[in-house]
Amino acid sequence: MTNSIREIPSSAGFLVIGSNTTENHPVMGSMIKNAVINNGKKLIVVDPREIELSRYADYYFQIKPGTNIAILNGFMHVLIKEGLYDKTFVETRTEGLQELAKALEKYTPEYVAGICGLDNPEDIRKAARLMAELKPMALYYSMGITQFVSGVNGVKSTANLQMLLGNMGVPGGGVNPLRGQNNVQGACDMGALPVSYPAYQPVANEENKAKFEKAWGVNGLSVKPGLTIVEMFNAAIGGQLKAVYAMGENPVMSDPNQHHIIEALKSLEFLVVQDIFLTETAQYADVVLPSCAFLEKQGTASNTERRVQPMHKVLPPWGDARDDWWIISQIANRMGAKWDYKKSEDIFEEIRKVTPSYAGITYERIEKELIQWPCPTTDHPGTQYLHKDRFSRGLGLFTAIDYTPPAEGTDDEYPMILTTGRILEHFHTGTMSRNSRILDELVPEGFVQINPNDASNYNIADNEVISVSSRRGSIRIKAKITDKPKPNVVFIPFHFYEAAANVLTNDALDPACKIPEYKVCSCRIEKIA
Amino acid sequence: MEEITLLIDGREVKGKQGQTIIEVARENGINIPSLCYHPSVSKTGACRICLVRVNNRMLRPACVEPAINGMTVVTEDEDIVSMRKWILELLLSDGDHNCLYCDADGDCELQSLVKRYGVQEPRKDEPKRDRTVDNESSRGIKRNEYRCILCQRCVKACREIQVSNVWGFSERGFETRLIADDDQKIGESNCVLCGQCVQLCPTGALTYQTVLGRGANWELTKESSICIYCGVGCKIDFYKNREGMLVKSLGNYEGPNNGHLCVKGRFGFDFVQSPKRLSKPLIKRNGAFEEATWDEALNLVADKFAGIKAKNGPDSIAALSSAKCTNEENYLMQKFMRAVIGTNNVDHCARL
Ligand code: SF4
Ligand code: SF4
Ligand code: SF4
Ligand code: FES
């Protein structure tokens, strides 16, 4: 997030797009509800499914899955056509408006409504006018923006809109991605990415190579960017990749196109899985290493607003389980490294040396202070919101972006759109939440949400077990009839191995950041009996 | 904000314009009893247990009375004590407070005031009315209305923090009752089980399903950590009993969550102590897993990685790091892949 959670009360309004906040980030969802319901703040929601927040929205756009960019362009078209954008901000802080305006020319509300499947183009105008009045408006998004082949462009579009509205670099504004797991932010910051060292320092750069060789006391660091998760599995099937070391990940459940992943795991020569349970992925491992669960660990995690927080050891390790860092060090040292970390803080001290944005953060400070990176020195208070007087590149750059349709279109054989996501009671692959008694009892099994229209067309009853198929596979699953999805769209939460949504999903990748297109693929529903 | 000075119990203390007496007092370590007041919700001013003497004259409720520069406050004198006793007796006689059967025993604001003011047996003359006891309908929450003191903290927790508006008061004749939605069972209401009303309830009227049989409140110890379930990063106080078993989790007020949690943060942690947890390294031999020692397992992994690297080059090995692991562990995983294996093949599921 460019901005902070505690700024929610200072926003005049919110645009929530592709985020079912009250289920996936419930505590923030409640803060937004409090602002809107109890304090009269404005709310605009864009989501293919009716979600709780859409009930309180001043404008709600139930778009076709995969058409975010079109509607964002539509809003911007109106802002420019009607001269409602923040001219001072655009003049002094940005460049590239002309190219953007040109690209937006054709995105009239009528054209956009056609793409997004909306009945009332006038609402796009009205919502854009409302946005222009909201000083400042905060934009929140989540996987509903990123999990498309056009994901990176979706993110850029949100930035375009917020710059146009002058909502960057002010408290209560900003472009705010909500991270789905507790330390996605930190994993990225720490360089658990194929293209960058800690603090996003590119690996394909000789200076960075030299810097890290010196810091780590090694030679010959690779300048060749590595493989992303989905590419790894393709390379496994292709025979180039021989071994995988998976720490706390369960790709059989979490990754798209499950059959393909299993084939990949089976083609590996050697698979190590380090986890707290014998997960679906661990079944295919040659060696399984038991690790400590988060409550058995000391360390730090960085939340969605870049706040670095301490985690304490609440419980002793389970059985013979060990800290993940200990296990990695042991393997490293058996391969000739001379690492001598005695506790997690030793590692954090090293992180501070090579990660400029974390340099001023210490274990001692985060026990008493709220610190958000960048925090370059120990007397720096941290950064509540980014881009205050300038963007990292100086002027903010508008990027002209065209709407492109999802990779997989519907046809006679697969006439419906499948979209996937999470529900309030469960998390990700279910490894944790489905092993928690109360959560498991609350929602014990998977389901597919189907609109009443479709249900009657296919003669499907509520709770009937039906079959859902895509070009990649087929599952049996209970139907829940609800008007939350539009006709022709079905939704499946992906937490349940017995009815795994990712048997069906598409592994087509966004060309720039390689996110698979989970949020939309085409499918077919059928009665079984 | 402008600084103000008050004289509380003869001590000169500083506060800020706009604060109430109770806020100034607590910031200065002076404890004024309260029941309906809770710092994370709006003020109610209903129970009057917080009455203090202002400027040597009137009795005012400290939780709503603005602190004013130069004010003199006495937090306890003979009149106040007897007033508080009287209020407590009334509360006791109106309900049914048998602490022996109550999950809040030892962690109850009413109980500790009753002890502090030496209140004896409640008066028996008040007729007891029929109230709701519902230990079953909800997976997460139990309620016993006989212990409800109508303080409204739950109503406000649900309205102002969770914003699901489940709790409300209904008036029937002389009786004010606490009801969920339009008088539904809590498990059948719109409750989303965030558990915030329970966290704020000062008595045992609302309690968690997870605590019974897991030790007395005074045996529990707590330690804070960060929720594993999403990027909000709620700070949680985890309570465990003498046997080391997790009992409950409460939202910590210093985290980004201001004390709030959702159903996952509240009730989603017993997986850590699930018997299905892996407890020994496993090595697959002839298609089946066998338990191994750490040395065996680690040597095998190191040998295999070294062999594959020597034969096929570093880029034939890849690692999946984890957004559920700490910064330190993610850092070490990428360092391992880059500095020891020699490849940039490291990723995690940020994209997924
Ligand atoms: S648990 Fe949460 S949602 Fe349910 S009644 Fe209490 S405050 Fe409201
Ligand atoms: S249930 Fe608890 S919080 Fe709610 S009014 Fe009664 S005593 Fe107060
Ligand atoms: S308690 Fe709920 S909202 Fe808070 S971090 Fe955990 S999952 Fe997210
Ligand atoms: S605490 Fe002040 S009136 Fe209840």
Side-chain angles (χ1 to χ4, degrees):
Chain A
M1 283 172 44
T2 59
N3 287 57
S4 290
I5 296 173
R6 63 189 178 285
E7 291 169 16
I8 288 177
S10 43
S11 301
F14 311 90
L15 168 61
V16 176
I17 176 165
S19 158
N20 187 0
T21 326
T22 58
E23 297 210 33
N24 292 339
H25 301 87
V27 163
M28 279 186 75
S30 286
M31 291 178 184
I32 294 174
K33 284 201 285 178
N34 185 36
V36 172
I37 297 172
N38 296 329
N39 294 291
K41 302 296 176 66
K42 300 295 179 199
L43 176 64
I44 298 146
V45 172
V46 178
D47 204 288
R49 269 192 320 145
E50 254 179 63
I51 55 176
E52 187 189 345
L53 283 183
S54 62
R55 298 213 295 266
Y56 321 123
D58 297 274
Y59 294 98
Y60 166 48
F61 299 96
Q62 188 167 24
I63 59 169
K64 266 203 225 147
T67 62
N68 291 310
I69 291 175
I71 196 162
L72 288 168
N73 280 350
F75 294 140
M76 290 188 276
H77 172 98
V78 176
L79 292 171
I80 291 178
K81 265 271 133 47
E82 303 191 0
L84 297 173
Y85 62 94
D86 187 329
K87 292 174 194 91
T88 324
F89 187 91
V90 169
E91 257 158 48
T92 55
R93 299 280 317 267
T94 70
E95 58 189 340
L97 179 69
Q98 232 123 69
E99 294 77 57
L100 177 70
K102 226 167 96 206
L104 291 176
E105 201 64 49
K106 70 172 187 225
Y107 288 90
T108 62
E110 288 68 24
Y111 175 67
V112 167
I115 297 175
C116 301
L118 299 168
D119 300 330
N120 197 347
E122 201 48 36
D123 278 355
I124 298 178
R125 285 198 182 86
K126 289 190 199 153
R129 289 176 199 142
L130 174 62
M131 289 179 200
E133 282 166 25
L134 300 174
K135 291 277 168 204
M137 176 186 86
L139 185 152
Y140 291 97
Y141 73 84
S142 190
M143 294 305 190
I145 282 278
T146 50
Q147 285 179 350
F148 292 104
V149 286
S150 55
V152 163
N153 282 340
V155 173
K156 286 188 188 149
S157 295
T158 60
N160 281 343
L161 177 66
Q162 284 295 64
M163 290 198 294
L164 204 55
L165 287 165
N167 287 329
M168 297 301 283
V170 286
V175 171
N176 302 295
L178 300 176
R179 309 287 185 187
Q181 307 197 33
N182 90 325
N183 204 26
V184 173
Q185 183 68 54
C188 295
D189 298 347
M190 291 302 107
L193 294 170
V195 292
S196 56
Y197 291 114
Y200 309 93
Q201 305 172 74
V203 293
N205 173 305
E206 289 297 334
E207 238 170 80
N208 292 338
K209 168 174 146 85
K211 181 170 154 190
F212 278 89
E213 283 176 349
K214 182 150 172 269
W216 291 342
V218 294
N219 288 314
L221 288 179
S222 168
V223 288
K224 182 176 143 213
L227 303 174
T228 64
I229 292 192
V230 176
E231 288 171 335
M232 287 176 195
F233 293 117
N234 292 338
I237 291 176
Q240 303 93 315
L241 193 71
K242 305 286 182 199
V244 166
Y245 180 7
M247 168 172 81
E249 288 286 348
N250 187 8
V252 169
M253 282 295 291
S254 65
D255 289 35
N257 199 350
Q258 190 176 81
H259 295 320
H260 178 78
I261 303 288
I262 292 174
E263 189 194 335
L265 294 178
K266 285 184 175 159
S267 1
L268 288 171
E269 200 176 307
F270 190 59
L271 172 65
V272 184
V273 171
Q274 184 168 310
D275 214 317
I276 59 174
F277 289 106
L278 198 62
T279 60
E280 292 79 9
T281 302
Q283 313 282 355
Y284 299 93
D286 298 285
V287 178
V288 179
L289 304 173
S291 56
C292 289
F294 80 111
L295 286 180
E296 297 152 11
K297 288 176 176 178
Q298 192 193 26
T300 59
S302 305
N303 80 348
T304 194
E305 52 171 355
R306 298 167 281 106
R307 176 168 171 174
V308 182
Q309 305 197 85
M311 293 167 63
H312 300 122
K313 251 191 174 70
V314 177
L315 299 170
W318 182 263
D320 224 359
R322 297 288 159 89
D323 278 308
D324 287 296
W325 66 260
W326 181 89
I327 304 173
I328 301 169
S329 304
Q330 288 293 318
I331 298 173
N333 287 346
R334 283 170 162 82
M335 293 182 70
K338 299 225 157 34
W339 294 356
D340 185 24
Y341 306 109
K342 300 223 159 50
K343 51 185 191 307
S344 62
E345 191 173 3
D346 298 344
I347 305 168
F348 194 80
E349 285 302 307
E350 183 175 318
I351 292 172
R352 293 179 56 205
K353 292 201 190 96
V354 295
T355 315
S357 47
Y358 280 64
I361 305 174
T362 65
Y363 269 34
E364 202 189 331
R365 283 188 77 189
I366 55 174
E367 285 300 332
K368 346 180 260 272
E369 284 175 72
L370 184 178
I371 306 180
Q372 292 161 285
W373 67 257
C375 175
T377 54
T378 45
D379 52 10
H380 189 286
T383 309
Q384 184 185 327
Y385 58 93
L386 302 176
H387 314 310
K388 183 155 181 269
D389 300 308
R390 62 186 299 273
F391 291 94
S392 26
R393 69 183 288 277
L395 291 177
L397 180 64
F398 285 112
T399 331
I401 289 163
D402 245 331
Y403 159 77
T404 45
E408 193 174 85
T410 52
D411 58 19
D412 289 346
E413 210 182 335
Y414 298 99
M416 303 188 73
I417 302 176
L418 164 71
T419 157
T420 65
R422 297 182 185 170
I423 55 171
L424 172 65
E425 291 81 1
H426 285 290
F427 177 74
H428 214 56
T429 66
T431 308
M432 301 188 297
S433 58
R434 297 198 69 203
N435 279 304
S436 290
R437 187 180 55 85
I438 292 181
L439 300 182
D440 194 42
E441 283 172 5
L442 285 169
V443 185
E445 59 181 0
F447 55 86
V448 52
Q449 288 184 341
I450 296 179
N451 183 282
N453 272 335
D454 297 325
S456 80
N457 286 345
Y458 287 87
N459 188 23
I460 290 168
D462 203 23
N463 287 324
E464 179 176 335
V465 175
I466 63 166
S467 130
V468 183
S469 338
S470 78
R471 294 190 174 86
R472 286 152 297 276
S474 161
I475 59 173
R476 293 177 161 224
I477 189 167
K478 231 181 218 181
K480 283 251 188 299
I481 299 176
T482 149
D483 48 19
K484 285 182 177 164
K486 280 191 167 191
N488 232 26
V489 176
V490 298
F491 169 82
I492 302 181
F494 66 87
H495 318 285
F496 303 90
Y497 60 83
E498 317 85 308
N502 287 331
V503 168
L504 307 173
T505 45
N506 193 351
D507 50 3
L509 300 182
D510 179 298
C513 81
K514 317 274 164 72
I515 298 198
E517 189 152 79
Y518 285 97
K519 284 288 168 190
V520 46
C521 76
S522 42
C523 74
R524 167 174 82 214
I525 61 177
E526 280 158 308
K527 220 176 154 65
I528 292 176
Chain B
M1 252 187 265
E2 217 178 306
E3 197 181 76
I4 52 172
T5 308
L6 280 71
L7 202 65
I8 304 185
D9 293 341
R11 224 181 96 196
E12 212 180 271
V13 297
K14 303 257 181 253
K16 281 180 238 89
Q17 190 92 46
Q19 285 184 306
T20 60
I21 296 176
I22 211 168
E23 285 162 354
V24 176
R26 293 213 171 155
E27 266 179 30
N28 287 281
I30 300 167
N31 184 23
I32 298 174
S34 64
L35 282 170
C36 67
Y37 167 78
H38 192 280
S40 67
V41 291
S42 66
K43 293 163 186 101
T44 307
C47 73
R48 304 279 141 164
I49 201 78
C50 64
L51 287 178
V52 293
R53 194 170 297 283
V54 171
N55 295 337
N56 299 316
R57 296 190 8 249
M58 308 95 73
L59 292 180
R60 314 291 307 172
C63 69
V64 283
E65 189 70 12
I68 290 167
N69 197 29
M71 201 178 230
T72 308
V73 176
V74 173
T75 65
E76 205 160 282
D77 60 22
E78 231 172 88
D79 286 351
I80 295 174
V81 167
S82 61
M83 193 79 120
R84 286 185 185 151
K85 271 188 153 163
W86 180 74
I87 293 171
L88 291 168
E89 277 166 15
L90 219 64
L91 289 174
L92 288 181
S93 65
D94 192 43
D96 181 9
H97 293 275
N98 189 334
C99 302
L100 199 59
Y101 301 116
C102 182
D103 295 341
D105 185 19
D107 184 27
C108 171
E109 295 175 32
L110 180 65
Q111 187 189 51
S112 61
L113 289 177
V114 165
K115 293 200 163 99
R116 170 164 163 190
Y117 289 101
V119 179
Q120 306 266 335
E121 290 260 350
R123 306 182 338 206
K124 291 259 158 60
D125 46 346
E126 301 269 336
K128 293 261 187 288
R129 33 196 176 110
D130 249 0
R131 311 228 205 152
T132 307
V133 177
D134 176 1
N135 293 332
E136 275 93 42
S137 76
S138 164
R139 303 268 185 197
I141 295 175
K142 300 199 292 185
R143 69 175 298 208
N144 182 333
E145 214 190 348
Y146 289 103
R147 301 179 185 133
C148 174
I149 57 169
L150 297 175
C151 70
Q152 292 193 46
R153 277 158 62 162
C154 57
V155 177
K156 294 189 165 181
C158 199
R159 188 193 301 151
E160 298 170 10
I161 303 176
Q162 167 55 35
V163 201
S164 285
N165 298 316
V166 171
W167 296 116
F169 283 164
S170 90
E171 226 109 352
R172 275 209 233 118
F174 297 107
E175 295 183 5
T176 305
R177 292 187 49 229
L178 179 72
I179 58 166
D181 289 344
D182 352 313
D183 213 353
Q184 240 115 35
K185 286 192 171 145
I186 179 69
E188 283 146 28
S189 72
N190 284 313
C191 169
V192 293
L193 283 171
C194 76
Q196 200 62 16
C197 53
V198 181
Q199 177 162 333
L200 260 59
C201 180
T203 71
L206 297 174
T207 53
Y208 296 117
Q209 291 283 13
T210 51
V211 302
L212 190 64
R214 300 235 176 131
N217 279 305
W218 52 84
E219 296 170 349
L220 306 182
T221 51
K222 70 168 179 185
E223 179 61 274
S224 78
S225 192
I226 307 300
C227 178
I228 194 76
Y229 283 115
C230 89
V232 177
C234 294
K235 188 165 180 179
I236 304 180
D237 289 328
F238 291 95
Y239 287 76
K240 62 175 180 182
N241 65 16
R242 282 187 188 158
E243 286 75 47
M245 195 173 209
L246 288 172
V247 177
K248 63 178 175 184
S249 58
L250 298 187
N252 180 299
Y253 293 94
E254 267 140 40
N257 46 321
N258 290 328
H260 191 206
L261 296 176
C262 76
V263 61
K264 293 185 282 277
R266 188 75 66 184
F267 296 114
F269 295 113
D270 40 329
F271 75 87
V272 174
Q273 299 183 314
S274 152
K276 290 195 240 159
R277 277 283 301 274
L278 285 169
S279 60
K280 286 262 185 299
L282 304 174
I283 295 176
K284 201 180 262 167
R285 293 194 174 102
N286 307 320
F289 284 120
E290 286 172 22
E291 285 187 1
T293 65
W294 271 106
D295 262 333
E296 278 176 285
L298 293 167
N299 284 335
L300 177 64
V301 173
D303 286 350
K304 275 285 192 182
F305 281 164
I308 291 172
K309 177 178 163 181
K311 190 160 153 238
N312 304 292
D315 287 336
S316 65
I317 304 174
L320 306 183
S321 201
S322 174
K324 294 180 287 291
C325 286
T326 63
N327 287 328
E328 290 79 357
E329 289 156 350
N330 277 288
Y331 173 81
L332 223 53
M333 180 56 106
Q334 61 89 34
K335 179 176 175 183
F336 171 70
M337 291 308 287
R338 296 189 160 117
V340 180
I341 302 285
T343 177
N344 287 310
N345 288 342
V346 54
D347 198 4
H348 71 284
C349 68
R351 302 177 171 75
L352 310 183

